[in-house]
């Protein structure tokens, strides 16, 4: 670790090469280097093979999609479904999670079902929902709910379990009414976990939405990607894939991570905070 | 003949606010088989000094020499916290530090555990023991390698008074038994008075403030009147030291003002 | 989810300290009973809806699905297809771990490489499964290579990020202790490094595996010649809800087996030292 840091010599940062070198070893420089290397390899793959269109062709296709208005139209439709689905998931998942986390009986009854829910791939829900509900809005929304709820429930349950029993006893001995206990004890303890759960749920639900629209919708972003795929026009297809990834990364980085960090602020000094939220923030 | 020679030692840390001198030109020599205590207020560089002697940290300048009959001396370190491997049993923790893992080593380990009264815990994991028991394991680990020089960094400061007293008496016995050269760091003056042949008082800023020879007969107890007298006199010198540092900083302030 | 297992273990130790084996047995029996109640509840709701609300064509009753599963078990199809899927997952996961572990090591040891790999790994982990599936199909056509590559790409960021975190969290104090007592590099790696990184590797295995399953199945839906995803696709094309549900049932059984039996035991054995507290 130290070697890389020491390479930066503030003394000779007067010359441009030194400035560039300085910039290259900083976090943003390192990320940019990685991105540039990736783009170059991608473009090379385009030049050498004939299967994969390169970043230039894909960007052109993406710009065309935006200009023709397809981008806005389809995203609007999909975001509507996504919003309804995730909203429903948060409500259902929180109730379910509080139930599982605060009662041992319900934990034993529902815990395994939740585990099963976590394990079932979104594609199965997408196919089943298409068969059950046909084309339209219902199938995508139900798919989102089914693939997102278990993630929220499992995290909220962990949050409910993390409420120290001593606090519950304390509230009990002071006869604090239930709704105040819910507001001041349960919800603050759970909110951090809830947001962690929402992060997973958003990723999982987004994936479910794409699949559901791919198999069972005549509009929306998943359907549009399939349209190009079926037409065997790879630049158009890849442009949509790039939109999906960009959307996911931006939502995660700009929105969810910040909210989640804020909700966990009260325990920042706690060394265990890190281990409670390990490097598994990947739910695809 | 294990002696430790510390010569013109300096340690400067680079901090965001500029270089900070933690040890400022310290020299001393520890005689063979003697028990030396380093006393000083917290933050005055005691741990840093031990870390340099043990080789964990490098000095900015100066040297440390440890010789046992002309060869490099064997070293053991009891840290401020137990520093045990949580995933190894107590027995395996002690085996881990043995240079050669043979039957003789196994025997040494068993003896060391018996000496700290924890032979029955050999198969347990550190997490199953209390803080005091873990600290005793740390001490047993140090003794089990039969070192020529033993470094101890406030080994009892995190323990309750009763456990600490028991362990201090125990340490005296062990030391009488084996006669290692010991460098013992503490901020507790009475502890130093009870255990040492010689006390070095460190001042903030990393200089030796006083060098006190202790000639009380052994074995000693914390409740012995002579120990209490010595403790009182050392404490008085500490107060002098405090007054001196205050004066100094006051002078500095008036100069800069 | 880690919390669940920890809690479960805490419960066990508490029961053990009660020192009443009969009571513990009764507790366990009660727990199993409640879990069964949960399943019966699900099956009950399912049966109710399938008999009173939907035609069997849309939602077949549980017994019809069970019969289909039994049928698939007897003629061996279930075993053959599961074997195909597991083989691809194992291969992909092994390759992903082989590439991901060194990257994680590099990330944990050097600030520069951490900055270099951090974003790409997070992006790789956030990519919707659909992307992997279609890419595998475009690049490798229909067959076994696609699913294996997809699993590799899924496993890689999990392993890398977890190993990196594990390496960062190795206690430098324990390394210093080892140096003072003259331990060799090999000793330190074996007794300090590996045990510290183990929980993180394990977490990577657990979550990576669950993810790998999903993406593997998805990839087979798009372009497999064998495996459960392929079978689900085939049933879907014949519009057989019974068939899709039967394969989902196998999937669930398998996941429960892995989670409750295999991983739980492995965890108990590797992390026995943590239970002492
Ligand atoms: N790695 C380091 N970098 C910068 N400063 C340090 C470092 N280690 C210790 N110090 C500083 O050196 C001083 C002495 O520390 P230490 O030796 O731990 O004191 P103590 O006498 O309490 O054992 C403290 O002021 C501490 O802040
Ligand atoms: Mg210290």
């Amino acid at each position: 670790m130290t070697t890389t840091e020491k390479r930066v010599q503030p003394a000779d940062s007067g010359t441009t090469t030194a400035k560039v070198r300085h910039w290259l070893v900083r976090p943003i420089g390192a990320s940019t280097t990685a991105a540039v290397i990736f783009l170059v390899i991608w473009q090379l793959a385009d030049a050498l093979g004939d299967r994969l269109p390169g970043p230039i062709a894909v960007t052109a296709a993406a710009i065309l999609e935006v200009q023709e208005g397809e981008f806005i139209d389809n995203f609007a439709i999909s975001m509507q479904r996504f919003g309804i689905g995730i909203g429903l998931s948060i409500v259902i998942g929180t109730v379910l999670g509080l139930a599982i986390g605060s009662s041992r009986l319900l934990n034993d009854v529902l815990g395994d079902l939740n585990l099963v829910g976590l394990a079932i791939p979104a594609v199965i829900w997408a196919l089943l929902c298409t068969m059950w509900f046909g084309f339209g809005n219902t199938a995508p929304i139900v798919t989102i709910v089914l693939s997102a709820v278990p993630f929220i429930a499992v995290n909220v349950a962990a949050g409910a379990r993390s409420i120290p029993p001593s606090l519950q006893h304390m509230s009990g001995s002071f006869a604090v009414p239930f709704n105040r206990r819910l507001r001041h004890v349960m919800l603050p303890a759970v909110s951090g976990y809830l947001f962690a759960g929402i992060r997973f749920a958003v990723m999982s639900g987004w994936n479910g939405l794409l699949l559901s629209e791919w198999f069972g919708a005549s509009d929306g972003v998943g359907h549009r990607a399939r349209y190009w795929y079926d037409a065997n026009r790879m630049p158009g297809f890849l442009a949509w894939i790039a939109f999906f990834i960009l959307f996911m990364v931006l939502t995660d980085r700009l929105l969810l991570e910040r909210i989640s960090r804020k909700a966990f602020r009260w325990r920042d000094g706690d060394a265990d905070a890190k281990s409670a939220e390990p490097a598994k923030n990947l739910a695809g | 003949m294990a002696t430790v020679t510390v010569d013109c030692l300096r340690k400067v840390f680079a901090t965001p606010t500029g270089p900070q001198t933690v040890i400022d030109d310290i020299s001393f020599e520890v005689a063979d088989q003697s028990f030396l205590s380093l006393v000083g207020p917290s933050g005055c560089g005691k741990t840093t000094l031990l870390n340099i002697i043990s080789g964990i940290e490098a000095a900015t300048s100066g040297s440390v020499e440890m010789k046992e009959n002309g060869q490099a001396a064997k070293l053991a370190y009891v840290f401020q916290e137990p520093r045990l491997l949580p995933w190894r049993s107590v027995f395996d923790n002690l085996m881990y530090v043995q240079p050669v893992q043979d039957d003789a080593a196994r025997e040494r380990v068993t003896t060391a555990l018996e000496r700290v009264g924890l032979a029955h815990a050999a198969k347990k994991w550190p997490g199953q023991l209390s803080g005091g028991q873990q600290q005793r394991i740390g001490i047993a680990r140090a003794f089990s390698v039969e070192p020529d020089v033993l470094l101890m960094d406030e080994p009892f400061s995190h323990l309750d008074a009763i456990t600490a007293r028991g362990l201090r008496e125990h340490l005296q016995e062990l030391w009488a038994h084996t006669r290692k050269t010991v460098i013992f760091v503490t901020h507790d003056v009475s502890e130093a008075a009870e255990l040492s042949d010689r006390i070095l008082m460190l001042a903030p800023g990393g200089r030796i403030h006083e060098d006190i020879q202790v000639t009380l007969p052994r074995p000693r107890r914390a409740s012995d009147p002579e120990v209490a007298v010595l403790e009182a006199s050392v404490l008085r010198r500490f107060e002098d030291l405090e007054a001196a540092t205050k004066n100094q900083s006051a002078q500095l302030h008036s100069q800069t003002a | 989810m880690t919390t669940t297992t920890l809690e479960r273990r805490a419960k066990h130790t508490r029961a053990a300290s009660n020192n009443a084996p009969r009571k513990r047995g009764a507790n366990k029996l009660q727990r199993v009973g409640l879990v069964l109640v949960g399943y019966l509840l699900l099956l009950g709701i399912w049966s109710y809806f399938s008999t009173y609300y939907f035609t069997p064509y849309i939602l077949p009753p549980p017994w019809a699905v069970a019969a289909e599963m039994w049928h698939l078990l007897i003629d061996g199809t279930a075993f053959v297809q599961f074997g195909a899927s597991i083989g691809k997952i194992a291969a992909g996961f092994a390759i992903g771990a082989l590439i991901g572990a060194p990257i994680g090591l590099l990330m944990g040891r050097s600030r520069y490489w951490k900055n270099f790999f951090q974003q790409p790994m997070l992006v790789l982990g956030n990519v919707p499964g659909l992307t992997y599936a279609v890419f595998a199909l475009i690049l490798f056509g229909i067959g076994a290579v696609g699913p294996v590559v997809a699993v590799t790409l899924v496993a890689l960021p999990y392993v890398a990020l977890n190993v990196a975190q594990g390496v960062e969290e190795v206690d430098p104090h324990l390394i210093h202790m080892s140096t003072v007592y003259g331990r060799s590099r090999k000793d330190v790696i074996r007794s300090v490094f590996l045990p510290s990184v183990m929980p993180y590797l394990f977490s990577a295995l657990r979550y990576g595996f669950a993810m790998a399953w999903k993406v593997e199945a998805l990839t087979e839906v798009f372009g497999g010649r064998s495996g459960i995803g392929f079978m689900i696709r085939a049933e879907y094309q014949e519009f057989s809800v019974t068939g899709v549900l039967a394969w989902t049932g196998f999937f669930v059984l398998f996941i429960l087996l892995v989670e409750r039996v295999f991983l739980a035991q492995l965890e108990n054995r590797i992390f026995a030292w943590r239970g002492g507290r």
Side-chain angles (χ1 to χ4, degrees):
Chain A
M1 260 183 271
T2 36
T3 45
T4 43
E5 284 162 347
K6 274 182 190 155
R7 224 187 283 154
V8 187
Q9 297 288 336
D12 61 2
S13 59
T15 65
T16 10
T17 46
K19 258 186 197 156
V20 167
R21 211 180 310 142
H22 189 145
W23 182 83
L24 275 178
V25 296
R26 277 174 41 203
I28 182 125
S31 301
T32 314
T33 316
V36 168
I37 290 177
F38 170 73
L39 287 178
V40 167
I41 292 179
W42 184 9
Q43 190 61 48
L44 278 180
D46 175 28
L48 296 179
D50 51 35
R51 282 243 170 97
L52 201 65
I56 297 167
V58 171
T59 313
I63 291 171
L64 205 68
E65 257 335 62
V66 173
Q67 279 171 348
E68 284 178 359
E70 291 287 354
F71 175 80
I72 298 290
D73 290 352
N74 287 302
F75 248 92
I77 292 166
S78 292
M79 285 319 294
Q80 220 171 340
R81 292 171 180 157
F82 192 59
I84 296 173
I86 288 293
L88 281 175
S89 307
I90 291 174
V91 174
I92 300 174
T94 307
V95 172
L96 214 62
L98 281 177
I100 293 177
S102 51
S103 144
R104 180 147 297 167
L105 182 93
L106 287 173
N107 179 39
D108 286 345
V109 174
L110 299 174
D112 255 39
L113 295 186
N114 202 35
L115 191 74
V116 168
L118 279 175
I120 292 181
V123 65
I124 291 185
W125 293 133
L127 294 179
L128 282 173
C129 286
T130 306
M131 292 194 279
W132 285 336
F133 306 111
F135 282 36
N137 285 328
T138 321
I141 289 174
V142 174
T143 306
I144 294 171
V145 171
L146 286 172
S147 38
V149 161
F151 283 98
I152 294 181
V154 98
N155 275 284
V156 171
R161 280 192 208 102
S162 77
I163 302 172
S166 54
L167 275 185
Q168 298 274 35
H169 293 157
M170 183 273 284
S171 317
S173 65
F174 283 105
V176 181
F178 177 77
N179 57 356
R180 206 187 301 165
R181 222 188 289 180
L182 185 73
R183 231 187 90 196
H184 292 287
V185 178
M186 286 168 92
L187 285 186
V190 164
S191 65
Y193 290 87
L194 173 62
F195 283 115
I198 291 178
R199 273 180 87 180
F200 295 108
V202 162
M203 282 187 269
S204 180
W206 180 244
N207 185 44
L209 172 74
L210 294 182
L211 286 169
S212 175
E213 286 180 343
W214 181 282
F215 287 108
S218 46
D219 46 14
V221 291
H223 166 76
R224 191 68 188 164
R226 181 174 191 169
Y227 167 83
W228 290 113
Y229 177 76
D230 283 346
N232 208 10
R233 300 267 294 275
M234 285 306 134
F237 171 72
L238 285 185
W240 279 96
I241 294 288
F243 288 148
F244 298 159
I245 296 175
L246 215 62
F247 170 75
M248 210 55 249
V249 171
L250 287 183
T251 324
D252 195 53
R253 281 297 101 71
L254 297 186
L255 206 67
L256 297 171
E257 202 187 40
R258 280 184 199 182
I259 298 176
S260 148
R261 218 183 297 144
K262 216 172 200 177
F264 267 124
R265 214 175 16 183
W266 54 273
R267 56 167 211 190
D268 263 357
D270 189 355
D272 285 341
K274 242 201 233 159
S275 56
E277 204 188 12
K280 57 187 178 214
N281 52 348
L282 324 157
Chain B
M1 283 296 289
T3 54
V4 181
T5 315
V6 173
D7 194 28
C8 301
L9 208 62
R10 280 173 59 83
K11 177 70 183 180
V12 182
F13 281 116
T15 62
T17 52
Q20 185 197 355
T21 306
V22 175
I23 293 171
D24 192 5
D25 198 21
I26 283 186
S27 303
F28 61 89
E29 188 163 318
V30 190
D32 181 40
Q33 303 198 330
S34 70
F35 197 116
L36 172 89
S37 287
L38 291 169
V39 210
S42 90
C44 73
K46 305 182 298 291
T47 300
T48 308
L49 183 54
L50 273 202
N51 281 349
I52 293 174
I53 293 174
S54 68
I56 290 177
E57 272 178 68
T60 309
S61 67
S63 68
V64 176
E65 213 170 275
M66 262 178 287
K67 280 283 158 59
E68 164 80 6
N69 295 329
Q71 292 182 334
K74 203 196 291 173
L75 199 71
Y77 196 155
V78 179
F79 302 91
Q80 209 162 345
E81 352 67 68
R83 288 203 198 178
L84 303 172
L85 304 174
W87 39 78
R88 295 275 187 268
S89 71
V90 164
F91 188 84
D92 289 345
N93 258 286
L94 267 63
M95 282 310 286
Y96 174 64
V97 299
Q98 305 301 318
V100 189
Q101 318 219 322
D102 53 3
D103 279 342
R106 267 182 279 279
E107 201 150 306
R108 276 201 305 276
V109 166
T110 314
T111 325
L113 284 177
E114 275 165 7
R115 281 212 204 124
V116 297
L118 284 171
H120 62 90
K123 287 211 175 72
K124 291 196 170 168
W125 281 293
Q128 292 170 304
L129 303 178
S130 74
Q133 288 173 319
Q134 292 184 23
Q135 196 63 31
R136 267 145 77 190
I137 302 293
I139 295 170
R141 175 172 65 188
F143 275 93
S144 72
V145 296
E146 301 191 336
D148 308 313
V149 176
L150 176 60
L151 309 176
M152 302 180 96
D153 187 2
E154 309 197 13
F156 310 134
S157 65
H158 289 327
L159 305 180
D160 64 278
I162 296 175
T163 312
R165 193 175 64 189
L167 283 178
R168 268 195 290 272
E169 279 168 15
H170 198 77
L171 176 64
Q172 278 201 67
E173 268 167 45
L174 281 177
W175 180 72
H177 212 71
T178 54
R179 281 287 177 165
K180 314 285 177 206
T181 304
V182 179
I183 303 181
F184 186 92
V185 161
T186 179
H187 62 245
D188 179 350
V189 175
S190 89
E191 189 173 75
E194 184 188 340
L195 295 172
S196 343
D197 296 323
R198 182 181 167 201
I199 300 174
L200 284 183
M201 273 170 67
L202 291 185
R207 242 173 303 213
I208 296 180
H209 181 62
E210 284 218 41
D211 186 345
I212 305 161
Q213 298 290 335
V214 183
T215 48
L216 301 177
R218 286 175 190 276
R220 307 171 193 155
R221 304 178 127 265
S223 51
D224 287 346
E226 297 99 322
V227 173
V229 170
L230 174 64
E231 181 193 344
S233 96
V234 175
L235 273 177
R236 212 169 307 121
R237 290 185 232 198
F238 247 119
E239 282 160 12
D240 296 346
L241 166 63
E242 261 180 11
T245 29
K246 257 188 209 144
N247 269 342
Q248 240 177 13
S249 58
Q251 272 171 9
L252 269 177
H253 271 284
S254 58
Q255 275 169 11
T256 47
Chain C
M1 287 155 258
T2 336
T3 14
T4 340
T5 43
L6 285 179
E7 176 140 313
R8 206 182 308 140
R9 195 174 313 118
K11 233 188 286 174
H12 273 302
T13 40
R14 217 176 307 135
S17 64
N18 272 350
N19 232 343
R22 262 181 58 208
K23 196 176 165 209
R24 196 171 32 172
N27 270 344
K28 197 168 179 188
L29 213 68
Q30 191 189 359
R31 219 188 91 79
V32 171
L34 286 172
V35 171
L36 281 182
V37 168
Y39 283 112
L40 285 179
L41 210 66
L42 176 76
L43 292 181
I45 294 172
W46 176 0
S47 314
Y48 177 79
F49 276 104
S50 70
T51 34
Y52 292 105
Y53 276 91
F54 301 106
T55 58
Y57 178 68
I58 291 291
L59 185 65
W63 47 90
V65 175
E68 173 74 14
M69 283 171 76
W70 180 247
H71 185 76
L72 289 168
L73 267 181
I74 291 297
D75 73 2
T77 325
F79 295 107
V80 173
Q81 302 302 340
F82 253 92
S85 287
I86 292 170
K88 288 179 230 173
I89 290 175
F93 210 94
I95 302 172
L98 236 56
I99 306 171
I103 292 180
L105 214 62
L106 216 56
M107 286 172 73
R109 312 245 334 155
S110 138
R111 171 107 23 111
Y112 178 77
W113 289 113
K114 180 170 180 173
N115 291 332
F116 185 89
F117 281 117
Q118 183 89 5
Q119 294 305 323
M121 286 299 141
L122 284 175
V123 170
L124 208 58
N126 280 348
V127 168
L130 170 73
T131 318
Y132 289 126
V134 179
F135 262 105
L137 184 60
I138 297 173
L139 291 180
F140 304 103
I142 291 176
V145 183
V148 171
V149 172
V151 171
T152 302
L153 289 176
V154 170
L156 200 150
Y158 269 91
V159 174
L161 289 176
N162 274 286
V163 167
Q165 202 185 350
V167 169
E168 269 174 31
E169 236 128 277
V170 171
D171 185 358
H173 285 151
L174 291 180
I175 309 246
H176 289 155
M177 184 274 286
S178 306
T179 344
V180 168
Y181 286 104
R183 296 300 82 207
S184 68
R185 223 183 138 74
K186 204 183 89 192
D187 283 341
V188 175
I189 288 175
R190 215 174 60 105
S191 295
V192 181
F193 253 81
L194 280 184
S196 327
V197 177
M198 210 49 155
Y200 295 89
L201 259 183
F202 198 82
S203 157
L205 177 70
R206 174 168 245 159
Y207 295 93
F209 182 76
M211 280 312 302
W213 254 115
K214 295 185 176 184
V215 171
E216 203 271 345
L218 181 59
T219 313
E220 283 175 353
V221 167
F222 276 83
R225 270 189 213 289
S226 63
I228 47 165
F230 170 72
M231 294 310 290
I232 287 172
R233 166 90 192 211
E235 303 285 3
Y236 170 73
Q237 280 171 340
E238 290 173 20
F239 211 92
S240 158
V241 178
T242 316
V244 174
L245 284 176
W247 284 102
T248 309
F250 283 128
F251 200 93
V252 166
L253 284 181
F254 185 76
I255 287 287
L256 282 179
L257 201 71
V258 168
E259 178 75 20
R260 290 280 192 244
V261 181
F262 177 69
L263 284 178
Q265 285 203 347
L266 199 65
E267 199 181 27
N268 275 345
R269 186 165 316 160
I270 301 180
F271 299 128
W273 59 271
R274 294 204 294 202
R277 223 176 274 270

